[in-house]
Amino acid sequence: MSIRNDLRNIAIIAHVDHGKTTLVDQMLRQSGIFRANENVEERVMDSNDLERERGITILSKPTAVMYNDIKINIVDTPGHADFGGEVERILQMVDGVVLLVDAFEGCMPQTRFVLKKALGLGKKPLVVLNKIDRPGARPEEVVDEVLDLFIELGADEDQLEFPVIYASARDGYASDDYHEPGSDMKPLFEAIVNEIPAPEGEIDAGLQILISNIDADNFVGRIGVGRVERGTVKNGQSVTLCHTDGTTKVVRIGKLYQFEGLKRIECDEASLGDLVCISGIQDINIGETLCSNDCIEPLPFVKIDEPTVTMNFMVNNSPFAGKEGKYVTSRNIRDRLFKEIETNIALRVEETDSADTFKVSGRGELHLSILIETMRRQNYEFQVSRPQVITKTIDGKLHEPIEFLIVEVPDSYVGAVMEKLGSRKAELVNMGTRDGGVTHIEFKIPARGLMGYRPEFLTDTNGNGIMNHVFDGYEPWKGEIVTRHQGSLIAFETGDTVTYGLYAAQERGRLFIGAGVPVYEGMIVGASPKAEDITVNVCKKKHITNTRASGSDDALKLTPPTVMSLEQCLEFIADDELVEVTPKTIRMRKRILSKEQRMKQAFRNK
């Protein structure tokens, strides 16, 4: 067995917003990767537009820094449970994990989720308490919480002896003692070198490279990203590609790259433990193994958790179809969805009885909404249905996905939150108080009970509450849940909205659109406070007469409309409604646009 003492491979895992990407920023800066005069953006690892806009990491991305002649490969991972598939497969590439925990918030749901995966694979943990300079930080309590979590998740004795580093990623320092702030990131680098095991294996045996990620380049095409598990690989070498279905194929490596800072640098060879990028193999996929031709031994790939939420993607058939999008046909949508599952391995796409409809399943509403947003930015136009949970039949009984929900709200709002969650079949697991008049509550709740709850939660807590949830498992069906108490305001006819018509409609509910907006019959233009739908004529113009009355000709004042985001639209719609997505517009509509047809359908369903 050989040991590569000049190399360390780590993944940084944490709950969303605990500071992973900011920490990687500082490690890159302080390792001398950037030139002194180089202009570097904040959160440089969040490289795509959606990540920058939302302030979250969506894709796992490797980078590398040098510290005292030791190369440290760092993989920045997403912090949101919906992108857990990215984390699960990336853990195959590393020997240890840096678990980042907010010194104020403590262990949150995603911390539990990714840590469970890492411990199960036997990875060595290093705990970093970030935001140590935050007012209200409670490092000693949080370290105890982390230890309790390790014990609860079944960590072995070696994993329980985890080292702790205290850091402020924003201010760029780390320390072994939270009473004494450090001046740089040196204590963190030292801890990684001393505590994370170096890669070990057979460097002289037959080659094995496990592909854990797929990248693409406009010039060289498909690129496989993986780790050399055994042996040495050379540029231009002939190797055997072992597909996941058991078939094999002899291929040649086009070019070999390694990571250096934020760049891929071409190299001649790589050996045991190195993270490499391989171009020139067009049909390479995630989970496959590259072996030397004389020693074909494919490696097993980590099992990715099943999706829990599904929705239908459909060809847009509204009166405004084809006006704004470039790719609108079922073939365009089908090709794009099947291309997505090559790299997004937590996603499932199935064809249905209808040629215009595709069933897409993912980890959660955010997972699917990011796909929808990405597609509309690529000029696709389509419709989607309301998200539905995926149920299972276990021992003859119907089971549904259950989420572990953590809520932190000011004490004065606890009653309203408990009442709403109780009606959604939530079960209280734990409850405690925090400094500053905040109550920390833990629930188990059916996944369908959370759909559409976030806007209500923000309203009930005046925007002061924080909620986070993660998939917990399957439990028997909890019964009927009424998640929506509002009806829709529906446009009566096709045309452009007029102030006069909107003024009359706003008395019936909350509007989503302003004046001068094109609408069609059956389009949702607002929310009704009552449970039933109301049809309103927002295109109605004032009849011009020669009669004048004092006060009746004053300027009409409209309440500003509520502009709905994509996620809010998905949470708002009912089963008989759709979201129409185009590159320029997001609209909500009824499945059946004609009021007469809807009334006939409702009569038949009675």
Side-chain angles (χ1 to χ4, degrees):
M1 294 286 277
S2 304
I3 298 178
R4 289 279 308 273
N5 285 316
D6 61 338
L7 182 66
R8 299 290 186 276
N9 295 321
I10 60 163
I12 298 190
I13 57 175
H15 185 79
V16 66
D17 242 10
H18 279 196
K20 294 178 303 302
T21 308
T22 309
L23 187 77
V24 176
D25 260 14
Q26 290 294 346
M27 294 175 77
L28 285 166
R29 288 170 199 275
Q30 296 190 24
S31 63
I33 287 293
F34 305 123
R35 299 190 313 273
N37 64 343
E38 191 169 346
N39 183 25
V40 183
E41 296 183 56
E42 273 190 41
R43 300 198 327 274
V44 69
M45 292 295 285
D46 284 348
S47 50
N48 79 37
D49 292 342
L50 269 177
E51 290 181 319
R52 292 206 158 276
E53 283 172 27
R54 293 170 182 247
I56 58 173
T57 304
I58 296 169
L59 302 170
S60 295
K61 291 174 284 290
T63 184
V65 300
M66 295 297 294
Y67 178 74
N68 292 349
D69 297 327
I70 295 173
K71 184 177 183 180
I72 303 174
N73 285 313
I74 306 167
V75 186
D76 183 20
T77 63
H80 201 288
D82 282 21
F83 309 112
E86 291 280 322
V87 183
E88 288 166 330
R89 61 191 163 99
I90 233 70
L91 289 172
Q92 296 280 90
M93 295 167 62
V94 299
D95 301 295
V97 293
V98 173
L99 176 69
L100 199 69
V101 183
D102 189 308
F104 173 76
E105 291 185 359
C107 299
M108 299 297 271
Q110 180 67 359
T111 317
R112 169 190 300 267
F113 173 78
V114 289
L115 182 61
K116 183 179 180 181
K117 299 287 180 188
L119 296 178
L121 290 168
K123 306 299 178 187
K124 178 71 190 285
L126 164 63
V127 175
V128 175
L129 253 59
N130 192 27
K131 306 187 185 180
I132 201 72
D133 55 337
R134 181 175 172 177
R138 41 191 194 94
E140 291 181 356
E141 288 176 49
V142 172
V143 170
D144 288 343
E145 285 177 21
V146 173
L147 182 59
D148 291 343
L149 183 59
F150 270 71
I151 295 168
E152 187 184 327
L153 297 178
D156 60 37
E157 286 185 19
D158 189 40
Q159 290 170 331
L160 285 174
E161 296 293 323
F162 57 83
V164 181
I165 297 292
Y166 304 92
S168 169
R170 186 191 64 183
D171 294 340
Y173 69 79
S175 172
D176 297 321
D177 183 355
Y178 67 89
H179 294 109
E180 298 175 15
S183 55
D184 55 26
M185 283 289 172
K186 189 176 177 183
L188 177 58
F189 283 121
E190 289 287 345
I192 290 170
V193 169
N194 296 330
E195 301 292 342
I196 301 297
E200 59 178 74
E202 300 171 65
I203 202 164
D204 300 320
L207 174 68
Q208 279 183 328
I209 302 175
L210 182 62
I211 302 299
S212 299
N213 205 355
I214 292 291
D215 205 347
D217 189 284
N218 293 334
F219 300 103
V220 299
R222 207 166 166 81
I223 297 173
V225 182
R227 168 182 160 128
V228 183
E229 301 286 348
R230 193 174 72 185
T232 302
V233 59
K234 291 185 171 62
N235 216 340
Q237 182 177 338
S238 173
V239 293
T240 299
L241 175 61
C242 303
H243 293 295
T244 48
D245 60 3
T247 58
T248 60
K249 177 183 178 183
V250 176
V251 294
R252 185 171 296 280
I253 291 170
K255 284 188 177 174
L256 199 61
Y257 305 86
Q258 287 195 38
F259 294 99
E260 190 175 301
L262 302 175
K263 304 182 186 75
R264 282 196 294 257
I265 305 295
E266 207 173 319
C267 63
D268 293 325
E269 69 171 43
S271 60
L272 170 74
D274 282 325
L275 303 189
V276 293
C277 301
I278 295 165
S279 69
I281 307 171
Q282 287 310 306
D283 55 350
I284 195 167
N285 276 306
I286 291 168
E288 297 180 343
T289 310
L290 289 172
C291 303
S292 51
N293 296 331
D294 56 350
C295 183
I296 301 171
E297 296 176 2
L299 290 161
F301 191 60
V302 63
K303 185 179 181 294
I304 302 295
D305 284 351
E306 294 292 314
T308 57
V309 173
T310 184
M311 61 168 59
N312 289 334
F313 281 52
M314 293 165 269
V315 173
N316 187 9
N317 60 2
S318 82
F320 293 169
K323 290 187 175 181
E324 296 174 356
K326 183 179 177 184
Y327 306 109
V328 297
T329 65
S330 59
R331 183 178 60 82
N332 293 145
I333 296 168
R334 181 188 186 280
D335 291 349
R336 177 65 183 81
L337 290 173
F338 278 96
K339 185 184 176 192
E340 181 70 22
I341 58 175
E342 291 177 4
T343 54
N344 195 340
I345 56 173
L347 202 72
R348 302 279 185 277
V349 178
E350 302 165 53
E351 299 193 62
T352 63
D353 299 337
S354 167
D356 292 346
T357 304
F358 304 93
K359 185 179 176 185
V360 182
S361 307
R363 282 288 183 83
E365 287 173 271
L366 184 63
H367 187 201
L368 294 171
S369 73
I370 290 291
L371 170 63
I372 295 168
E373 183 64 38
T374 304
M375 285 177 66
R376 73 181 281 246
R377 291 182 184 211
Q378 294 168 351
N379 280 324
Y380 285 83
E381 181 178 311
F382 52 97
Q383 298 176 143
V384 294
S385 66
R386 185 185 187 208
Q388 303 283 351
V389 297
I390 299 173
T391 56
K392 285 184 178 180
T393 302
I394 304 171
D395 299 330
K397 289 186 177 180
L398 187 66
H399 284 60
E400 64 175 327
I402 302 293
E403 299 275 323
F404 181 74
L405 172 69
I406 289 183
V407 173
E408 291 196 353
V409 291
D411 297 343
S412 53
Y413 302 118
V414 171
V417 170
M418 296 280 273
E419 183 184 349
K420 283 280 175 66
L421 288 173
S423 67
R424 290 168 176 263
K425 299 285 195 280
E427 296 175 10
L428 183 65
V429 176
N430 196 4
M431 190 171 178
T433 55
R434 294 267 166 89
D435 294 341
V438 173
T439 302
H440 174 92
I441 321 171
E442 297 174 6
F443 297 95
K444 282 191 176 181
I445 182 170
R448 60 197 167 98
L450 277 176
M451 288 182 181
Y453 174 63
R454 192 174 292 273
E456 285 186 40
F457 175 75
L458 292 173
T459 303
D460 292 343
T461 61
N462 284 346
N464 291 307
I466 299 171
M467 62 178 275
N468 290 290
H469 54 91
V470 68
F471 173 68
D472 191 61
Y474 277 84
E475 288 185 14
W477 184 261
K478 303 291 183 185
E480 197 59 41
I481 300 175
V482 179
T483 57
R484 178 170 149 177
H485 304 281
Q486 293 176 303
S488 302
L489 298 182
I490 304 163
F492 170 72
E493 61 182 352
T494 302
D496 289 352
T497 55
V498 178
T499 303
Y500 184 75
L502 290 169
Y503 184 76
Q506 74 180 10
E507 296 178 2
R508 314 295 294 273
R510 178 168 52 105
L511 292 176
F512 298 151
I513 56 172
V517 177
V519 297
Y520 52 80
E521 181 188 2
M523 181 173 151
I524 297 170
V525 295
S528 161
K530 298 178 181 177
E532 65 269 9
D533 296 335
I534 302 172
T535 304
V536 292
N537 191 354
V538 288
C539 303
K540 184 179 180 183
K541 294 176 182 172
K542 184 177 181 182
H543 291 294
I544 300 173
T545 67
N546 59 1
T547 308
R548 293 287 175 267
S550 172
S552 64
D553 289 329
D554 289 349
L556 300 174
K557 290 188 175 67
L558 290 178
T559 306
T562 304
V563 179
M564 301 277 275
S565 68
L566 174 61
E567 278 88 1
Q568 287 171 324
C569 289
L570 293 174
E571 288 181 336
F572 177 80
I573 59 171
D575 292 335
D576 65 337
E577 295 167 352
L578 301 170
V579 177
E580 178 187 349
V581 180
T582 77
K584 296 179 182 174
T585 322
I586 295 171
R587 305 182 187 96
M588 291 179 285
R589 52 162 285 189
K590 285 289 183 182
R591 279 181 190 266
I592 303 171
L593 297 178
S594 163
K595 183 181 178 183
E596 290 178 12
Q597 295 291 335
R598 285 199 304 275
M599 291 174 73
K600 287 178 182 175
Q601 184 71 34
F603 183 74
R604 283 193 212 106
N605 292 339
K606 281 185 179 177

